Amino acid sequence: MDLASESVMFSANGKPNGVDDPVRNGTASGGEGGGSSGPGSPHSGEGPSTGKGGADGGDELMKKPAGLLDDKLKKRIRKLSRSNSKDGVLGVAGTPNFVAPHRKWKNSRRSRNGYGRGLPKKGGAGRKGVWGKPGSEVYDELDEDPNDPNFDIDAYNSMHNVELKEIVPQMTEAEVVKKLEAIILEYFEHGDTHEVADALDDLLQPGMKPLVTKTVVAVAFDHKQSQRELTSVLISDLYGRIVTREDICAGFDLLLANLPDIMLDTPDAPHLLGNFIARAVADDCIPPKYAYQSDREDLDQHGQAALVRATTLLSMHDGWGQLDNVWGVGGALRPVQTITQQMSYLLQEYLLSRDLSEAQRSIKELEVPHFHHELIYEAIIMTLEALNESTEVAICELFRTLDSTCIVTPEQMEQGFRRVYEDMTDIVLDIPLAYSILDRFIQRCQRTGSFLSEALVKDIPTRGRKRFVSEGDGGMIKQVNFRHDF
């Protein structure tokens, strides 16, 4: 049974709305129009009572026409039947959960056209003071009327007649050089030429390829021999993949033209550039005739000097085979004996010249900061073998300078001294006075500067000695000591 039928039965039987049924009042009313009764009711009457009740019912029918009552009843039933199906069946009037049906319908967000899925009306854009769904102003196109006096035909055409094309931004030379420098500095750390080639594939444009050689060599001018060797290897590996022979020659031409400006920061730039050109010829990256054009009119004296340097290296006997080591074997790639020999040579040169700046430069060119403890060890051994105070003073001053300029770290300094401590038992066989000379040298270093730690000074070895024969008794054995020891 639906809700409309229940509403009809409730109003017909219970009379909640104060509407009397004209048929039942005319036949079953008793007395003065009291409550309804049945055939067995104590209030039921017969004869005149029934006639009186019928007269009263006729008067009510005359006062309240049946048509009006039917229309009101239909309207009330229609209002009660409009409910929200989502909220369930209405409660009974007078109960706590009873809510007026028209209130439930008013607050419902469901579409009122009888269709839909219970979603908000107008997509959530139907609230008070809202002009549309949030964000609709971005996507909705405005309909412009050509008959509008404010209509702008040029603006309309510019908005609708638009052709979109992909534009690749062109990098300037300064931007390319800046990115190249970052790639080269990273290459000096990892040494992987394939990674550099992959990075240059996406960066370089056809007209910018000569900048590779120019930038790589210019950055290598400010670095050491090991980085210059990496630069020559990079040029050789990029040849044929990223740059051509013409690109490399064009890059060297740019460097030859800018040599006067480069020499302000690197005075020996012509000498270094000649080495790069000779190495490129030996690697078959550029033709040999490029290096033999030292009489070119478009070059100044510095550019011609660079080509003369390259020609000299290429003209040496078996020079092409030796150009693989034009930058030397730097860093930890050299054998330990070679590095130790070079350290011994620079220490001997320092003791003869006493030139601290030259000694510092030579130590930096070795590029072995992890092996500086060998330099300290060799210097102390030279001091012990010299047997004079002038050598002690010179070596002590060298140690103080190396510590103040941070060329040798405190860890390397201490490691070199402790290596001497451990080998004193063997050193004293060749230098009998080694213990006393070492003690005097450490005290001098402690007075000169604070580059020796207190723990290192306390751990200085001393020569132990146990006497059984007195030096003043003519070589006789002391019986007391002899019996006590045995």
Side-chain angles (χ1 to χ4, degrees), residues 242-310:
I242 301 297
V243 295
T244 61
R245 180 171 300 179
E246 291 74 14
D247 296 332
I248 298 176
C249 293
F252 281 126
D253 289 339
L254 294 175
L255 290 169
L256 291 172
N258 295 332
L259 270 181
D261 296 335
I262 298 175
M263 290 180 62
L264 297 177
D265 299 327
T266 310
D268 57 343
H271 180 83
L272 298 176
L273 183 57
N275 292 352
F276 276 113
I277 294 174
R279 177 64 179 271
V281 172
D283 292 338
D284 293 332
C285 297
I286 58 177
K289 66 178 182 180
Y290 181 84
Y292 289 94
Q293 298 176 356
S294 58
D295 55 348
R296 291 168 49 180
E297 297 180 357
D298 58 335
L299 298 179
D300 57 0
Q301 57 179 353
H302 303 295
Q304 293 177 357
L307 292 179
V308 168
R309 168 64 180 175

Side-chain angles (χ1 to χ4, degrees), residues 352-386:
L352 294 175
S353 63
R354 306 296 174 94
D355 189 353
L356 289 173
S357 59
E358 180 66 20
Q360 296 177 27
R361 187 189 63 81
S362 301
I363 295 173
K364 289 180 180 179
E365 288 183 353
L366 292 177
E367 300 181 17
V368 284
H370 59 283
F371 202 59
H372 282 167
H373 60 85
E374 179 68 22
L375 176 70
I376 304 300
Y377 180 85
E378 293 292 334
I380 296 175
I381 295 300
M382 284 187 178
T383 303
L384 298 180
E385 292 176 349

Side-chain angles (χ1 to χ4, degrees), residues 393-463:
V393 173
I395 297 298
C396 182
E397 185 66 21
L398 176 63
F399 285 176
R400 185 191 65 80
T401 304
L402 295 178
D403 179 75
S404 61
T405 55
C406 298
I407 296 177
V408 178
T409 61
E411 291 78 11
Q412 295 290 323
M413 183 78 69
E414 183 174 354
Q415 185 177 356
F417 272 91
R418 291 195 179 278
R419 284 184 58 193
V420 176
Y421 290 177
E422 295 174 358
D423 295 344
M424 282 300 293
T425 55
D426 296 333
I427 295 173
V428 75
L429 298 178
D430 299 329
I431 309 173
L433 300 178
Y435 282 101
S436 59
I437 297 175
L438 180 62
D439 188 10
R440 183 176 61 191
F441 176 71
I442 290 180
Q443 292 179 3
R444 186 184 301 276
C445 292
Q446 192 176 10
R447 291 193 303 268
T448 303
S450 59
F451 55 89
L452 296 182
S453 62
E454 295 181 359
L456 184 63
V457 176
K458 290 181 180 179
D459 293 342
I460 181 174
T462 56
R463 184 175 184 177

Side-chain angles (χ1 to χ4, degrees), residues 105-284:
W105 184 255
K106 177 183 177 182
N107 297 330
S108 175
R109 301 180 64 188
R110 186 176 178 182
S111 177
R112 300 183 183 183
N113 57 7
Y115 302 97
R117 297 169 297 168
L119 300 177
K121 294 173 292 185
K122 299 181 182 180
R127 299 188 302 276
K128 182 179 179 181
V130 178
W131 288 6
K133 189 177 181 179
S136 60
E137 69 277 2
V138 179
Y139 302 102
D140 293 344
E141 296 183 0
L142 298 177
D143 296 333
E144 298 184 4
D145 187 8
N147 298 325
D148 189 355
N150 295 326
F151 179 73
D152 189 357
I153 185 64
D154 296 333
Y156 181 82
N157 293 333
S158 63
M159 292 176 59
H160 291 78
N161 299 332
V162 177
E163 183 180 0
L164 299 179
K165 294 183 179 180
E166 183 181 0
I167 299 177
V168 179
Q170 300 291 334
M171 298 180 63
T172 62
E173 182 177 347
E175 294 175 349
V176 173
V177 171
K178 185 176 181 180
K179 289 184 176 293
L180 281 174
E181 290 178 353
I183 294 173
I184 294 165
L185 293 177
E186 185 178 359
Y187 164 70
F188 287 161
E189 297 294 333
H190 57 72
D192 189 358
T193 58
H194 297 287
E195 184 175 347
V196 177
D198 294 339
L200 295 180
D201 282 334
D202 302 332
L203 176 64
L204 289 179
Q205 301 171 3
M208 298 287 186
K209 291 185 177 181
L211 293 177
V212 176
T213 306
K214 175 187 175 183
T215 307
V216 170
V217 176
V219 173
F221 283 159
D222 300 331
H223 287 76
K224 300 178 181 179
Q225 300 286 69
S226 57
Q227 283 81 13
R228 293 165 187 165
E229 174 66 23
L230 290 174
T231 302
S232 296
V233 173
L234 179 62
I235 295 175
S236 177
D237 290 349
L238 293 181
Y239 170 68
R241 177 177 177 181
I242 301 297
V243 295
T244 61
R245 180 171 300 179
E246 291 74 14
D247 296 332
I248 298 176
C249 293
F252 281 126
D253 289 339
L254 294 175
L255 290 169
L256 291 172
N258 295 332
L259 270 181
D261 296 335
I262 298 175
M263 290 180 62
L264 297 177
D265 299 327
T266 310
D268 57 343
H271 180 83
L272 298 176
L273 183 57
N275 292 352
F276 276 113
I277 294 174
R279 177 64 179 271
V281 172
D283 292 338
D284 293 332

